[in-house]
Amino acid sequence: MQPSLIVICGATATGKSRLAMTLAQHLNTVILSADSRQVYREFDIGTAKPTWEEQALIPHYLIDICDPTETLTVAEYQEKANHLISSLPHSPPLLVGGTGLYIKAITRGLKIPRVSPHPQLRSSLKRLGQLQLYALLQQVDPNSATKIHPNDQVRTLRALEVFYITGKPISEQQGENPPSYPILQVGLDCSPEVLTERIQYRTEQMLALGFVEEVKGLIKKYGWSLPLLDTLGYQEIKDYLAGETDLKTAKELMVIHTRQFAKRQRTWFKGQSEIKWFDSEQSDLWEAVSKMINIEIERFQK
């Protein structure tokens, strides 16, 4: 046996894509994106989506598979990724990104209720207020209520939504069914100081590549209320275009918010014991990762 999947994960701006490109060329394989915004068409610069040149060099999957007005659920992503992993002739494919829930859905085989968002139901429930919503959850699904913070409206609404659509508590429909094939997980990390410098550089590069024009075009085509425009990077530039701030402030806020997001990513991934960590600043990064992969392949073959 040999690994059927290699994961490259970590916080934003730690060099995952660069390492993945080198590794994919070495292994003659493909890259599966594990980024919850790269799945959407036209959201390119702000999501650090691979360029056309990079996509021509190495086939990339699970990017540009949805229109910005659509919503791709984790369950739908899991289904698409699992199909690719089992059907692509390239082995092992590389699952690359920083969306921890996407990666966990694949590597742990999360059982996810196949219930699409129902905006009308959510809107009706929201009118009750979070205090009453949580009390309702405690009645219909006490197991979920013990795991959801009383102020977490997003998860409370989702749990109630699943209950009212399926008639079963979400806690009875969740769990894990890990895949039977071997998986290697590589994590990239660096010091907070270095990460801040990388985030600052990436922000400058995004603006130089025309990020403001990208957001302008998206607003013109889809309107100011498109939910994706309220996500990291796009929100700050949207506020600038609305005249609520200047570009210098917008850029500073992008750096601050990205740094905060990266901190949350690091916390998430550090809780995954199966990840083998590497310092993205080490000079022999490629050699170290390649050596580890070869050792693991030999171990699987014994």
Side-chain angles (χ1 to χ4, degrees):
M1 296 180 66
Q2 68 175 22
S4 295
L5 182 68
I6 295 177
V7 176
I8 300 178
C9 60
T12 187
T14 51
K16 299 182 297 294
S17 296
R18 184 170 61 251
L19 175 63
M21 287 294 293
T22 303
L23 192 57
Q25 292 178 72
H26 177 74
L27 296 175
N28 188 30
T29 190
V30 300
I31 292 174
L32 311 182
S33 172
D35 187 296
S36 62
R37 296 191 302 172
Q38 289 185 0
V39 299
Y40 295 101
R41 302 180 186 98
E42 302 176 71
F43 279 70
D44 302 328
I45 297 173
T47 65
K49 192 175 291 179
T51 64
W52 290 113
E53 292 78 11
E54 289 170 329
Q55 294 183 50
L57 185 61
I58 298 294
H60 286 67
Y61 294 85
L62 300 174
I63 60 174
D64 294 333
I65 57 176
C66 286
D67 287 331
T69 53
E70 300 173 326
T71 299
L72 185 79
T73 65
V74 177
E76 290 169 335
Y77 172 85
Q78 181 189 51
E79 184 176 356
K80 292 177 184 294
N82 282 335
H83 173 72
L84 287 168
I85 293 168
S86 64
S87 62
L88 285 171
H90 305 82
S91 184
L94 308 181
L95 184 66
V96 184
T99 301
L101 190 55
Y102 274 15
I103 294 173
K104 192 173 182 179
I106 305 304
T107 60
R108 298 280 186 89
L110 296 183
K111 296 179 181 177
I112 306 168
R114 263 50 178 179
V115 176
S116 299
H118 284 65
Q120 191 171 2
L121 174 59
R122 290 188 181 189
S123 179
S124 298
L125 288 169
K126 275 186 179 180
R127 296 193 191 103
L128 298 175
Q130 178 58 19
L131 185 63
Q132 190 170 343
L133 283 175
Y134 190 76
L136 188 58
L137 180 64
Q138 289 176 311
Q139 294 177 23
V140 302
D141 190 356
N143 288 333
S144 289
T146 61
K147 301 174 184 176
I148 297 175
H149 192 279
N151 296 332
D152 190 340
Q153 187 177 76
V154 173
R155 295 181 66 197
T156 301
L157 280 170
R158 178 58 177 169
L160 289 172
E161 179 180 54
V162 170
F163 175 78
Y164 285 118
I165 296 298
T166 66
K168 297 179 181 180
I170 192 174
S171 58
E172 294 181 6
Q173 303 181 55
Q174 294 175 323
E176 297 182 0
N177 183 25
S180 58
Y181 54 78
I183 299 174
L184 290 182
Q185 296 198 55
V186 175
L188 294 186
D189 198 14
C190 57
S191 70
E193 295 76 20
V194 169
L195 189 58
T196 296
E197 292 176 2
R198 288 184 170 213
I199 290 171
Q200 290 172 333
Y201 176 77
R202 173 177 284 188
T203 301
E204 294 284 358
Q205 287 295 101
M206 286 180 174
L207 293 171
L209 288 170
F211 188 30
V212 173
E213 293 304 314
E214 176 173 289
V215 179
K216 274 184 184 178
L218 290 166
I219 292 172
K220 183 177 180 181
K221 186 172 182 178
Y222 298 104
W224 292 87
S225 60
L226 183 71
L228 280 171
L229 288 172
D230 294 330
T231 61
L232 183 62
Y234 291 90
Q235 174 73 68
E236 292 82 357
I237 298 301
K238 187 177 81 166
D239 290 345
Y240 158 65
L241 292 173
E244 298 177 10
T245 186
D246 55 46
L247 186 57
K248 181 176 181 292
T249 302
K251 183 171 65 174
E252 291 172 350
L253 288 173
M254 282 177 64
V255 172
I256 291 171
H257 295 158
T258 304
R259 192 169 63 232
Q260 292 170 341
F261 174 63
K263 184 178 180 180
R264 293 193 296 272
Q265 286 178 300
R266 293 178 80 198
T267 300
W268 171 284
F269 286 117
K270 287 295 184 180
Q272 315 299 315
S273 60
E274 60 270 35
I275 298 174
K276 301 181 186 300
W277 289 98
F278 293 84
D279 183 351
S280 60
E281 286 291 288
Q282 65 185 81
S283 58
D284 64 340
L285 176 62
W286 156 244
E287 292 83 359
V289 172
S290 181
K291 181 180 179 181
M292 184 275 291
I293 290 174
N294 289 332
I295 290 173
E296 290 298 312
I297 288 177
E298 290 178 5
R299 183 173 68 84
F300 283 127
Q301 290 175 340
K302 290 181 179 179

